[in-house]
Structure formats: C-alpha cells, structure tokens
Amino acid sequence: MTKLSVNINKVATIRNARGGNTPDVLKFAKNCELFGAEGITVHPRPDERHIRYQDVRDLRKIVTTELNIEGYPCESFVNLVKEVVPHQVTLVPDPPEALTSNAGWDTVKNEAFLTDIVSQFHEYGIRVSIFVDTDERNIRNAVKTGADRVELYTEPYAANYSLDRERAVADFVRAASVAAECGLKVNAGHDLSLLNLKYFHEQIPFLAEVSIGHALISDALYLGIEKTIQEYKARLK
C-alpha cells in the first residue's frame, strides 16, 4: 500500500502571515494523522518563511506515524536533522532561497557530496531519499550514494497530464522500474493532486510513498481536511 504523507508547509505559511499560532501547525499535523495520513512532511528553510526549525523539533515529539524532513543539506539543515532524527530525510537540490523545489539532483556530478551526507544520516539510523528526475543515469547513480529511496519529481507529469496522460506518465513508469531494479524504493511528489494521483498510482502501483502539500491543503479549504485526506487515500487504493 502506498503511504500518504501530508506536507504541512502551507499551514505554516498561513500562520506566519499574521503571527501568533493560528492555524496551529501541531494540531493540524495531529488531525492529519487522526484522519488517516500515514506521514507528515515538512520542508524547513533557513529563512523560516513557512515551517520553522522549532516546528520541526515540536513535531518530532508528537508525530506518531512518520516524520519526513526534506530540504537542501546546508549546514543548518544537517544539524537540525541530526538533532531531531526523523524517520526519513529527503534531500532536494534547490538552494535555500528557492520558492519551491523545481528539479532533481544530478547524482553523478554531486555523488561525493551526497554520499557524505547519506553516510552521516545513516549513522543516526535515518532513512534517506534523494529527489530525482526521470533520467535513468541519475537514478542508477543514486545507488552509489547509499540512498535507500528516490523521490520522483512529478511536476512534469502534472503539467502534461491534461494534454496526454499516457505520454505524461511514461517516463515516470520507466524511471520507477529502473529504481526498483536497482533495489531502491520509490517515493513521488510535487504537484500531485486529486485530478492526477489515481492514474499515476495505477501506472506505478508499487510506490512506497507520495508526499503532497500544496494541492492537498488547497483542497482542504473547500472540503475540509478529513474529507480531503479520505479522497486522496481513495486514489491510492
């Protein structure tokens, strides 16, 4: 069964717009778990424009499913991960000032760097996933870094889904198959939604996990978070 991890960055964005603690990020995370989410994902950035480092510390104390921390492995991020020791860390290549993740790692060019980071996190017993595109070379080379999983960057699929879904998903099916052949489990995330998730999962049923934030939180504004999580989980059956 493919797990649903809810990225709660946008909840923190709303909170930070007015200060205070409304909406309550911790309460929201607990409700996501209560309503069926199998994980919570956060992407703390050094400027703390959404999830703050203290949020991560506080979430680690109350998350009972799986905490996934994603981010660029700058010094402050690495130190935070070692302090908190989440269940999973997802390494993304975007610099701290980037608006959102928009590309996968070149695992060949960055092999030595990634190998060192993965090794450090493995010393703490943390599962490591590397954010990649569908380039077979980058997936195969992710094995050399010691990573446990890859997360497929799915924005190109989402952008082309309404034009030709079979063509849009084809590269991802191939990429996931290559990863599985290499012994890597496969996660996926970025712009997956109620519209396109079911078909993606049907084509790659062995996905270990999907991490969804922006679309899911937006849907919750209309449907409520309980109903929204139920709808997303239904598409993963």
Side-chain angles (χ1 to χ4, degrees):
M1 181 177 177
T2 302
K3 293 183 177 180
L4 171 65
S5 186
V6 177
N7 186 318
I8 60 173
N9 275 25
K10 287 298 185 295
V11 180
T13 300
I14 298 171
R15 176 199 62 187
N16 295 352
R18 288 288 297 271
N21 195 40
T22 302
D24 186 327
V25 170
L26 300 184
K27 181 179 180 180
F28 193 90
K30 289 169 69 175
N31 282 338
C32 286
E33 292 185 312
L34 176 65
F35 299 142
E38 290 96 0
I40 300 295
T41 292
V42 290
H43 186 152
R45 294 179 182 273
D47 63 6
E48 299 194 322
R49 63 178 181 265
H50 34 64
I51 285 291
R52 299 166 181 158
Y53 278 31
Q54 188 58 45
D55 291 330
V56 180
R57 298 183 181 101
D58 293 339
L59 284 163
R60 185 66 180 93
K61 298 173 185 176
I62 62 100
V63 169
T64 59
T65 53
E66 178 180 287
L67 181 62
N68 172 45
I69 304 178
E70 61 181 28
Y72 179 79
C74 61
E75 183 178 1
S76 61
F77 178 85
V78 170
N79 289 338
L80 176 67
V81 170
K82 290 180 178 179
E83 174 190 347
V84 172
V85 190
H87 304 89
Q88 176 176 268
V89 61
T90 301
L91 304 178
V92 296
D94 52 303
E97 68 274 8
L99 180 64
T100 186
S101 303
N102 56 18
W105 283 97
D106 181 334
T107 62
V108 176
K109 180 179 178 181
N110 296 283
E111 181 182 333
F113 175 66
L114 290 171
T115 299
D116 176 58
I117 297 297
V118 170
S119 176
Q120 291 186 51
F121 290 156
H122 277 173
E123 289 180 5
Y124 286 76
I126 303 168
R127 184 173 72 235
V128 182
S129 178
I130 293 181
F131 199 63
V132 296
D133 54 27
T134 57
D135 187 324
E136 181 177 330
R137 181 192 66 159
N138 285 325
I139 294 170
R140 292 191 182 281
N141 215 69
V143 177
K144 296 181 180 180
T145 71
D148 306 287
R149 298 185 180 187
V150 290
E151 178 173 326
L152 298 178
Y153 167 56
T154 50
E155 191 277 335
Y157 163 74
N160 293 291
Y161 175 83
S162 61
L163 301 176
D164 185 339
R165 67 180 190 174
E166 291 183 6
R167 191 170 185 177
V169 82
D171 286 346
F172 292 88
V173 173
R174 285 192 290 269
S177 296
V178 169
E181 290 170 7
C182 293
L184 296 167
K185 288 193 174 182
V186 183
N187 297 344
H190 206 89
D191 285 354
L192 294 174
S193 68
L194 289 177
L195 175 66
N196 59 46
L197 178 60
K198 185 175 187 295
Y199 182 72
F200 190 85
H201 184 250
E202 288 173 346
Q203 304 309 304
I204 314 173
F206 57 85
L207 282 173
E209 173 186 298
V210 292
S211 174
I212 306 177
H214 184 81
L216 190 152
I217 302 304
S218 297
D219 289 327
L221 296 176
Y222 301 101
L223 304 174
I225 188 59
E226 181 175 6
K227 177 65 172 176
T228 297
I229 288 177
Q230 290 173 353
E231 291 291 333
Y232 274 89
K233 285 175 64 69
R235 284 157 175 77
L236 293 172
K237 290 183 178 178

